Amino acid sequence: MLQKIHCTELYLAVGIMFYSGVVLFSAVLVGSSGSELKLPSWFQFGAGTSAFQIEGGWNASDKSESVWDRQLHLFPATLDGNADVACDSYHLWRRDIEMAEELGLDMYRFSISWSRLLPTGFSNYISEDGKRYYSDLIDGLLEKGIEPVVTIHHFDLPQRIQDLGGWANPLIADWFSSYANVVFSLFGNRVKYWLTINEPLILCDSGYTNQTVPYLDDKDIGRFLCNKNVLIAHAKAYRIYEKEYKPIYNGKVSIVNLFVWLQPATPEDKDITDLTIQYWEGRYGHAIYSKQGGWPKELENFLLEKGRSEGYPSPRLPPFTDEEVALVKGSADFYAFNHYSTRLVRKAKPGETIGSWPILGSQELGIVLERDPSWEVGDTVWFSVYPEGLRNQLNYLKETYGDLEFLITENGFFSTDPSLDDTRTVDYTWKYLEQVALAIQDGVNVTGYIHWSLMDNFDKGYSAKFGLYSVDFNDPNRTRTPRASARYYSKVTRTHCPYPEDLEQ
Ligand SMILES: *[C@@H]1O[C@H](CO)[C@@H](O)[C@H](O)[C@H]1NC(C)=O
Ligand SMILES: *[C@@H]1O[C@H](CO)[C@@H](O)[C@H](O)[C@H]1NC(C)=O
Ligand SMILES: *[C@@H]1O[C@H](CO)[C@@H](O)[C@H](O)[C@H]1NC(C)=O
Ligand SMILES: *[C@@H]1O[C@H](CO)[C@@H](O)[C@H](O)[C@H]1NC(C)=O
């Protein structure tokens, strides 16, 4: 109790000074020490999951196979285990709602399984059980005053759609948008926050470099077809919502970008860092959020030259028509993004071996990505902890695209420690939340933060422990138990004070 009062007291102190007219002094005071920061009262806290990672019930009722189901059944060695049961949220969703309530969440982010709702992949047939499952989940959340934030597509493409070319086939724009239309028509009366497609960077750039579903290897062409088709599919879904549903329900729609923040390793690396940001974020954000629309020009030219030098007769990054530019431009009501980590960018030295993670565009751009040696790492090498990166990124996005509403749809700590005493997750979370508070103070309109994840789930197997709740995957009941981070986060949601108790004494 004492700890709770700490943030409140300071908040009041600032308020009193404001009323006595010492505005400047109070502003200096708030800015002078991070430990006095608080998230605003209107700020919303959430936690997130995705269908394939938690639901299980992969063949329940009339659900059809998704690309993940197919991959893990045909090639069981792809990852460690499969998600046939996962957290069994297909059956245990009431417990999930109870956890969201225990945490005091304002929002719960989950995704809809396309192949559960539309077993044929197409909107000719809607599964009654699929419809009921999501409808019950949404109603259950609303009963507890928790806002559903619904991702329409989170990697688990129906296998049939994949067999027809998946995200490389331009027709997917119509297939996806008619699926989205079904989702809006069924749940639009109750859902106000819509996320069309999760992390297109991973979907396309990892999916077409054989690192995740659909495990295809076509980095030169497939990846860029997917890139463009994702943007058109998102925009078509957005326009359907805008025309048919927004006037009645007044909800909001965004795509979800994954954005690893990038900073130049040395002042000389500024230009190459800007190009790398275009490569990572701009290929998915610029067409939607910029005033000009279309591809980021500098990157488009760079890739055009590159493709020519490799003998490709036409641009590998497919150009937009004027009509397409107009369709995609402005097709979002806010900017949703997932943020976990930061990298330093520098030009590769002549002859230097470049990391092979093609998603990073290392070879293509001739860059090396590093972390500062002073940064902490998570339980995997790619995960470096640099909380200031989130604030820098938010300011960058505002400067680049204007004064948008921002929603952080994922942020959390990559841990492989299954214990309940997850102090590193608590540590990571408060430090990143503090940077969110600082970004708000900078004038960036961040309206919410969704922690990844509500519970442990199928990630690359079950070794990643992102959960506020642990899940016992050996127990047929998939018992969920709150970790220290769950107790911490439930305090944050109630007090809006980001600091853990031991810091406040
Ligand atoms: C569903 O999948 C499980 C394996 O996860 C299998 O044991 C079961 O027989 C399948 N059920 C049906 C109806 O195909
Ligand atoms: C993807 O990688 C796996 C495992 O490394 C390999 O067996 C498979 O042939 C690769 N697939 C493609 C399409 O390159
Ligand atoms: C931030 O965005 C929300 C939602 O769009 C809006 O209601 C609010 O007025 C914005 N705040 C500022 C300071 O612009
Ligand atoms: C699983 O749940 C059932 C029904 O609630 C209960 O009878 C059983 O003891 C539980 N099993 C375990 C291992 O907790």
Side-chain angles (χ1 to χ4, degrees):
M1 276 330 250
L2 197 80
Q3 290 79 13
K4 264 192 202 170
I5 291 162
H6 181 88
C7 248
T8 316
E9 266 179 354
L10 280 153
Y11 182 68
L12 281 178
V14 171
I16 288 159
M17 270 184 286
F18 181 83
Y19 283 117
S20 7
V22 195
V23 182
L24 191 65
F25 178 55
S26 70
V28 168
L29 181 75
V30 172
S32 68
S33 164
S35 67
E36 294 161 12
L37 288 165
K38 201 173 162 171
L39 278 312
S41 57
W42 43 260
F43 192 81
Q44 296 195 287
F45 290 96
T49 59
S50 86
F52 176 72
Q53 291 174 281
I54 66 163
E55 282 178 7
W58 79 276
N59 57 3
S61 183
D62 47 3
K63 180 182 172 296
S64 71
E65 234 182 343
S66 75
V67 284
W68 266 125
D69 298 324
R70 172 71 62 92
Q71 176 72 25
L72 298 177
H73 291 153
L74 267 186
F75 306 104
T78 307
L79 297 170
D80 192 9
N82 65 42
D84 288 0
V85 180
C87 305
D88 200 20
S89 286
Y90 186 64
H91 300 107
L92 301 177
W93 56 274
R94 287 185 185 83
R95 171 67 180 133
D96 297 347
I97 295 171
E98 195 176 275
M99 284 143 58
E101 195 189 12
E102 285 165 10
L103 290 169
L105 301 185
D106 305 301
M107 298 176 144
Y108 175 53
R109 177 186 176 209
F110 63 92
S111 79
I112 291 178
S113 158
W114 185 339
S115 58
R116 190 182 301 289
L117 190 65
L118 303 181
T120 69
F122 294 87
S123 55
N124 63 315
Y125 168 71
I126 301 171
S127 162
E128 276 306 314
D129 283 341
K131 189 165 99 179
R132 185 179 320 113
Y133 175 68
Y134 295 110
S135 188
D136 287 349
L137 176 59
I138 290 164
D139 287 344
L141 289 165
L142 291 173
E143 260 169 42
K144 303 293 180 190
I146 299 164
E147 186 90 52
V149 177
V150 178
T151 316
I152 299 171
H153 183 58
H154 200 118
F155 303 136
D156 49 352
L157 198 67
Q159 183 60 43
R160 183 180 181 195
I161 301 283
Q162 184 58 50
D163 291 342
L164 295 171
W167 287 104
N169 184 343
L171 291 174
I172 200 168
D174 290 328
W175 303 339
F176 172 77
S177 58
S178 70
Y179 157 52
N181 194 7
V182 170
V183 173
F184 295 145
S185 73
L186 294 175
F187 311 123
N189 59 344
R190 288 160 284 166
V191 174
K192 302 297 170 197
Y193 281 86
W194 293 105
L195 304 170
T196 51
I197 298 165
N198 186 65
E199 295 186 351
L201 179 77
I202 299 296
L203 185 69
C204 299
D205 287 56
S206 293
Y208 284 84
T209 53
N210 199 20
Q211 299 173 81
T212 187
V213 281
Y215 288 93
L216 293 171
D217 208 353
D218 197 335
K219 74 175 166 59
D220 283 1
I221 302 294
R223 189 160 66 104
F224 295 115
L225 293 177
C226 175
N227 191 155
K228 181 179 172 186
N229 294 337
V230 153
L231 289 167
I232 303 288
H234 155 80
K236 284 196 168 178
Y238 179 87
R239 299 301 171 198
I240 289 170
Y241 188 85
E242 184 183 40
K243 182 160 178 277
E244 308 286 337
Y245 301 95
K246 198 174 176 137
I248 319 169
Y249 301 129
N250 203 29
K252 301 179 189 190
V253 183
S254 175
I255 200 166
V256 182
N257 278 325
L258 171 69
F259 196 176
V260 172
W261 178 237
L262 301 167
Q263 293 188 179
T266 73
E268 287 81 68
D269 296 307
K270 171 90 178 69
D271 289 350
I272 191 69
T273 303
D274 289 346
L275 191 66
T276 309
I277 291 176
Q278 287 187 14
Y279 193 96
W280 275 60
E281 188 281 331
R283 271 192 298 126
Y284 296 99
H286 189 274
I288 299 173
Y289 295 102
S290 72
K291 300 271 180 299
Q292 313 84 318
W295 301 116
K297 265 280 157 285
E298 207 191 331
L299 181 73
E300 188 176 23
N301 292 336
F302 174 88
L303 289 172
L304 187 64
E305 284 311 309
K306 190 95 186 156
R308 274 191 190 137
S309 76
E310 292 160 350
Y312 283 106
S314 48
R316 293 190 286 129
L317 192 62
F320 289 106
T321 64
D322 290 346
E323 269 177 2
E324 289 169 339
V325 169
L327 170 76
V328 181
K329 195 169 70 171
S331 62
D333 301 305
F334 59 106
Y335 191 112
F337 70 98
N338 300 343
H339 175 108
Y340 290 94
S341 194
T342 293
R343 287 289 184 289
L344 298 178
V345 181
R346 67 166 173 81
K347 280 203 196 72
K349 298 181 185 116
E352 185 174 7
T353 315
I354 297 169
S356 65
W357 201 16
I359 181 188
L360 308 173
S362 301
Q363 273 116 350
E364 205 142 52
L365 298 169
I367 54 162
V368 173
L369 294 157
E370 299 176 325
R371 70 179 186 90
D372 189 285
S374 70
W375 298 347
E376 194 193 336
V377 284
D379 293 345
T380 176
V381 282
W382 66 265
F383 199 99
S384 54
V385 181
Y386 179 63
E388 292 85 347
L390 178 52
R391 178 188 187 182
N392 296 344
Q393 180 175 74
L394 282 162
N395 276 284
Y396 166 87
L397 286 168
K398 184 185 173 188
E399 277 159 30
T400 304
Y401 297 129
D403 196 5
L404 305 170
E405 177 188 357
F406 294 95
L407 181 65
I408 298 165
T409 35
E410 284 180 30
N411 176 253
F413 184 68
F414 188 108
S415 162
T416 51
D417 174 7
S419 82
L420 296 178
D421 191 18
D422 56 342
T423 44
R424 293 188 78 196
T425 298
V426 173
D427 222 40
Y428 175 97
T429 306
W430 81 253
K431 286 176 181 166
Y432 275 78
L433 277 173
E434 182 179 67
Q435 296 298 320
V436 175
L438 285 165
I440 291 171
Q441 208 172 75
D442 297 336
V444 185
N445 194 8
V446 195
T447 56
Y449 171 94
I450 299 178
H451 192 274
W452 187 269
S453 172
L454 177 66
M455 63 189 139
D456 293 345
N457 54 52
F458 186 83
D459 196 271
K460 301 206 186 283
Y462 292 98
S463 57
K465 304 291 181 188
F466 276 103
L468 297 167
Y469 283 71
S470 83
V471 176
D472 185 350
F473 292 104
N474 297 315
D475 172 358
N477 290 350
R478 295 298 191 272
T479 301
R480 289 107 155 98
T481 312
R483 289 206 168 93
S485 57
R487 280 191 301 280
Y488 155 76
Y489 199 55
S490 69
K491 195 214 72 169
V492 174
T493 62
R494 290 173 170 95
T495 62
H496 288 224
C497 178
Y499 305 102
E501 303 194 344
D502 56 357
L503 271 189
E504 290 168 28
Q505 280 153 2

